[in-house]
Each structure stands twice: as structure tokens, then as C-alpha cells.
Amino acid sequence: MAKTLKIHQILSELRPSLGAKIDDTVFAALMMNRAIDFIWDAGDWSFAIAEIPPFFLVPEESDYGPPTSAVPSDILLLREAWIRDVDGVSFKNLAVVRNLPRVEQTGLLPEVISHEPEIPAFRVSPTPGSSIAATRFQVEGSYKKAHTKITPANLTSETVPFDDRHSEVLSEVFLWRAYQRLQSPAQGQINFVSGTIQATGQAGNVLAALEKMMQQEGISNTADLYAPESSLLQ
């Protein structure tokens, strides 16, 4: 996997399409973030997924964060988690939710987990009971990383956050977002008709490029792109 292209190289290639507007660093940074966000949200890309640092469940403790447990600084969202019994090497899947209220209810083992960014910590529910062994049940899982935000200050230094072979996708999505911002008819149109997406103009280029990227990355859920709530339609 080669990540060598810089953001400013992508922008330079787009000068013929956007002219002097590409030199507006505030505009360029804003559109680049919107383009990367769109690609980031389109699938569970391997380059955006990492494992959470495992931690042991502690009796009568619901929150797990610094200084005793590590929470990744680049976490965007928690994808999946499970409890591993290190004695018996058995697994128990946990339901992942966005937020959990802090409650006093205790049980033998938790059923649900969340990432609470304000703390920051992972929170489980119900709270592990007082009878569990402190180094027996380990929580493991994976999370989706947040990409580095593009600003006018790092436009010339920041690297494209995925493989160079996907640079075309970033160019197409950037143009689409820029055309939308500029209210240019070149943005094209996207309509959801009888179960299929009909896309024209730059929107059609985005759809084709994204489908190609998904095939290259081995992501098969391209059907999600055609749902009425898809971000393509936003």
C-alpha cells in the first residue's frame, strides 16, 4: 500500500477545472474535508479500521479510560466489540451503541458497550459484578479511525489518507463537492427511481469511481450506495 501523494498535488491537477478558485486555501481545505469525509463514510475501508487496545473488565467498574485503559486518540466510532474469557478462550459478543447512560445496575458480564468521547472512555452495561476475576475477562474489538482534518496550514504538507491508486476517486469527489458549493450545473443530478440511482454529470463520475474503489478494496456492499438515505443523495 503506497501513500505518497500530497493533497496539494491533487489540487494542482484540478486547476484546469476550477481555475483560480483552487488557490483559495480556505475553500480548498473545506472542499477537501468534505470530499474525504464522503469517501470515509462510504464503506468500512481496511485503511480506516484498527483494533482497540484490549482491556480487562474490573468488578463494579463501568468506564474504562485513561490512565488505566487506553482509548485511541483517532477513534471516530466503535465498530464491534466482544468479551474474551482468557481462561476458557470463549467469546461473548457485545452490542455496540452510540451512548450509554451511567447506571448502578450490575450483572455478571456486560451486554452492551459504547465509546464516550467526552470522558474519554469505553462504557459497558450492566456494570460487571463483584464476583468476576479482575484479569479473566478481556474486552477486544475494532474501531473506525478519524482522518486528519485538512486546514489551510497543512494543505501543502498533508498526505492523501489512502492508497495512491484511489487518488482519482478523491479528485472526482472534490470536484463534485466544489461544483455543489459553487452551484455549478456541472455537479450533475442524482435521482432515486424505481430502486436504482440515476446520476448525471460530475455526480455520475463520483458514483463510477467509488464503485471501482470498492471493488479494488474488496467491499461488496455497493448496494448501500443506491439506498434513498445514501450520502450520495445528500
PDB file of all heavy atoms in Angstrom, residues 118-133:
ATOM      1  N   GLU A 118     -16.587  12.246  25.408  1.00  0.00           N
ATOM      2  CA  GLU A 118     -16.428  13.378  26.312  1.00  0.00           C
ATOM      3  C   GLU A 118     -15.561  13.030  27.510  1.00  0.00           C
ATOM      4  O   GLU A 118     -14.964  13.924  28.120  1.00  0.00           O
ATOM      5  CB  GLU A 118     -17.802  13.857  26.813  1.00  0.00           C
ATOM      6  CG  GLU A 118     -18.724  14.388  25.728  1.00  0.00           C
ATOM      7  CD  GLU A 118     -19.445  13.278  24.988  1.00  0.00           C
ATOM      8  OE1 GLU A 118     -19.325  12.107  25.392  1.00  0.00           O
ATOM      9  OE2 GLU A 118     -20.126  13.592  23.995  1.00  0.00           O
ATOM     10  N   ILE A 119     -15.430  11.726  27.846  1.00  0.00           N
ATOM     11  CA  ILE A 119     -14.728  11.366  29.084  1.00  0.00           C
ATOM     12  C   ILE A 119     -13.212  11.390  28.947  1.00  0.00           C
ATOM     13  O   ILE A 119     -12.576  12.048  29.807  1.00  0.00           O
ATOM     14  CB  ILE A 119     -15.237  10.017  29.617  1.00  0.00           C
ATOM     15  CG1 ILE A 119     -16.761  10.066  29.828  1.00  0.00           C
ATOM     16  CG2 ILE A 119     -14.523   9.636  30.903  1.00  0.00           C
ATOM     17  CD1 ILE A 119     -17.359   8.770  30.319  1.00  0.00           C
ATOM     18  N   PRO A 120     -12.545  10.796  27.999  1.00  0.00           N
ATOM     19  CA  PRO A 120     -12.997   9.761  27.046  1.00  0.00           C
ATOM     20  C   PRO A 120     -12.837   8.372  27.680  1.00  0.00           C
ATOM     21  O   PRO A 120     -11.911   8.136  28.464  1.00  0.00           O
ATOM     22  CB  PRO A 120     -12.016   9.953  25.894  1.00  0.00           C
ATOM     23  CG  PRO A 120     -10.738  10.346  26.562  1.00  0.00           C
ATOM     24  CD  PRO A 120     -11.136  11.160  27.770  1.00  0.00           C
ATOM     25  N   ALA A 121     -13.742   7.469  27.293  1.00  0.00           N
ATOM     26  CA  ALA A 121     -13.686   6.124  27.850  1.00  0.00           C
ATOM     27  C   ALA A 121     -14.620   5.215  27.065  1.00  0.00           C
ATOM     28  O   ALA A 121     -15.482   5.677  26.306  1.00  0.00           O
ATOM     29  CB  ALA A 121     -14.093   6.128  29.321  1.00  0.00           C
ATOM     30  N   PHE A 122     -14.427   3.917  27.257  1.00  0.00           N
ATOM     31  CA  PHE A 122     -15.399   2.927  26.824  1.00  0.00           C
ATOM     32  C   PHE A 122     -16.286   2.631  28.029  1.00  0.00           C
ATOM     33  O   PHE A 122     -15.794   2.498  29.153  1.00  0.00           O
ATOM     34  CB  PHE A 122     -14.715   1.648  26.342  1.00  0.00           C
ATOM     35  CG  PHE A 122     -13.862   1.841  25.114  1.00  0.00           C
ATOM     36  CD1 PHE A 122     -12.483   1.778  25.192  1.00  0.00           C
ATOM     37  CD2 PHE A 122     -14.453   2.096  23.886  1.00  0.00           C
ATOM     38  CE1 PHE A 122     -11.699   1.959  24.070  1.00  0.00           C
ATOM     39  CE2 PHE A 122     -13.672   2.292  22.745  1.00  0.00           C
ATOM     40  CZ  PHE A 122     -12.293   2.222  22.841  1.00  0.00           C
ATOM     41  N   ARG A 123     -17.592   2.534  27.798  1.00  0.00           N
ATOM     42  CA  ARG A 123     -18.536   2.274  28.896  1.00  0.00           C
ATOM     43  C   ARG A 123     -19.299   0.999  28.604  1.00  0.00           C
ATOM     44  O   ARG A 123     -19.758   0.780  27.481  1.00  0.00           O
ATOM     45  CB  ARG A 123     -19.503   3.440  29.051  1.00  0.00           C
ATOM     46  CG  ARG A 123     -20.589   3.210  30.110  1.00  0.00           C
ATOM     47  CD  ARG A 123     -21.384   4.479  30.331  1.00  0.00           C
ATOM     48  NE  ARG A 123     -20.549   5.486  30.983  1.00  0.00           N
ATOM     49  CZ  ARG A 123     -20.885   6.772  31.093  1.00  0.00           C
ATOM     50  NH1 ARG A 123     -22.033   7.203  30.573  1.00  0.00           N
ATOM     51  NH2 ARG A 123     -20.083   7.619  31.706  1.00  0.00           N
ATOM     52  N   VAL A 124     -19.412   0.143  29.608  1.00  0.00           N
ATOM     53  CA  VAL A 124     -20.141  -1.111  29.458  1.00  0.00           C
ATOM     54  C   VAL A 124     -21.354  -1.122  30.377  1.00  0.00           C
ATOM     55  O   VAL A 124     -21.398  -0.408  31.382  1.00  0.00           O
ATOM     56  CB  VAL A 124     -19.242  -2.336  29.773  1.00  0.00           C
ATOM     57  CG1 VAL A 124     -18.079  -2.418  28.800  1.00  0.00           C
ATOM     58  CG2 VAL A 124     -18.736  -2.293  31.219  1.00  0.00           C
ATOM     59  N   SER A 125     -22.347  -1.930  29.990  1.00  0.00           N
ATOM     60  CA  SER A 125     -23.555  -2.067  30.778  1.00  0.00           C
ATOM     61  C   SER A 125     -24.138  -3.458  30.580  1.00  0.00           C
ATOM     62  O   SER A 125     -24.135  -3.960  29.436  1.00  0.00           O
ATOM     63  CB  SER A 125     -24.581  -1.001  30.378  1.00  0.00           C
ATOM     64  OG  SER A 125     -25.751  -1.092  31.168  1.00  0.00           O
ATOM     65  N   PRO A 126     -24.655  -4.106  31.623  1.00  0.00           N
ATOM     66  CA  PRO A 126     -24.570  -3.658  33.013  1.00  0.00           C
ATOM     67  C   PRO A 126     -23.129  -3.676  33.532  1.00  0.00           C
ATOM     68  O   PRO A 126     -22.262  -4.309  32.936  1.00  0.00           O
ATOM     69  CB  PRO A 126     -25.456  -4.673  33.752  1.00  0.00           C
ATOM     70  CG  PRO A 126     -25.407  -5.901  32.907  1.00  0.00           C
ATOM     71  CD  PRO A 126     -25.329  -5.422  31.493  1.00  0.00           C
ATOM     72  N   THR A 127     -22.898  -2.999  34.639  1.00  0.00           N
ATOM     73  CA  THR A 127     -21.574  -2.967  35.257  1.00  0.00           C
ATOM     74  C   THR A 127     -21.193  -4.365  35.706  1.00  0.00           C
ATOM     75  O   THR A 127     -22.023  -5.086  36.267  1.00  0.00           O
ATOM     76  CB  THR A 127     -21.586  -2.016  36.466  1.00  0.00           C
ATOM     77  OG1 THR A 127     -21.982  -0.716  36.016  1.00  0.00           O
ATOM     78  CG2 THR A 127     -20.218  -1.940  37.113  1.00  0.00           C
ATOM     79  N   PRO A 128     -19.945  -4.802  35.443  1.00  0.00           N
ATOM     80  CA  PRO A 128     -19.519  -6.144  35.879  1.00  0.00           C
ATOM     81  C   PRO A 128     -19.751  -6.349  37.379  1.00  0.00           C
ATOM     82  O   PRO A 128     -19.519  -5.435  38.187  1.00  0.00           O
ATOM     83  CB  PRO A 128     -18.024  -6.164  35.543  1.00  0.00           C
ATOM     84  CG  PRO A 128     -17.876  -5.177  34.447  1.00  0.00           C
ATOM     85  CD  PRO A 128     -18.873  -4.104  34.720  1.00  0.00           C
ATOM     86  N   GLY A 129     -20.208  -7.539  37.722  1.00  0.00           N
ATOM     87  CA  GLY A 129     -20.486  -7.842  39.111  1.00  0.00           C
ATOM     88  C   GLY A 129     -19.226  -7.983  39.952  1.00  0.00           C
ATOM     89  O   GLY A 129     -18.110  -8.126  39.440  1.00  0.00           O
ATOM     90  N   SER A 130     -19.405  -7.962  41.249  1.00  0.00           N
ATOM     91  CA  SER A 130     -18.276  -8.010  42.182  1.00  0.00           C
ATOM     92  C   SER A 130     -17.593  -9.371  42.221  1.00  0.00           C
ATOM     93  O   SER A 130     -16.475  -9.501  42.722  1.00  0.00           O
ATOM     94  CB  SER A 130     -18.755  -7.649  43.593  1.00  0.00           C
ATOM     95  OG  SER A 130     -19.783  -8.551  44.020  1.00  0.00           O
ATOM     96  N   SER A 131     -18.239 -10.389  41.661  1.00  0.00           N
ATOM     97  CA  SER A 131     -17.691 -11.741  41.761  1.00  0.00           C
ATOM     98  C   SER A 131     -16.730 -12.114  40.629  1.00  0.00           C
ATOM     99  O   SER A 131     -16.085 -13.160  40.690  1.00  0.00           O
ATOM    100  CB  SER A 131     -18.833 -12.766  41.802  1.00  0.00           C
ATOM    101  OG  SER A 131     -19.586 -12.719  40.600  1.00  0.00           O
ATOM    102  N   ILE A 132     -16.612 -11.282  39.585  1.00  0.00           N
ATOM    103  CA  ILE A 132     -15.756 -11.675  38.464  1.00  0.00           C
ATOM    104  C   ILE A 132     -14.281 -11.473  38.818  1.00  0.00           C
ATOM    105  O   ILE A 132     -13.914 -10.580  39.575  1.00  0.00           O
ATOM    106  CB  ILE A 132     -16.099 -10.898  37.171  1.00  0.00           C
ATOM    107  CG1 ILE A 132     -15.659  -9.435  37.279  1.00  0.00           C
ATOM    108  CG2 ILE A 132     -17.564 -10.988  36.840  1.00  0.00           C
ATOM    109  CD1 ILE A 132     -15.647  -8.711  35.948  1.00  0.00           C
ATOM    110  N   ALA A 133     -13.429 -12.312  38.245  1.00  0.00           N
ATOM    111  CA  ALA A 133     -11.986 -12.184  38.447  1.00  0.00           C
ATOM    112  C   ALA A 133     -11.467 -11.004  37.627  1.00  0.00           C
ATOM    113  O   ALA A 133     -11.842 -10.822  36.475  1.00  0.00           O
ATOM    114  CB  ALA A 133     -11.288 -13.472  38.032  1.00  0.00           C
TER     115      ALA A 133
END
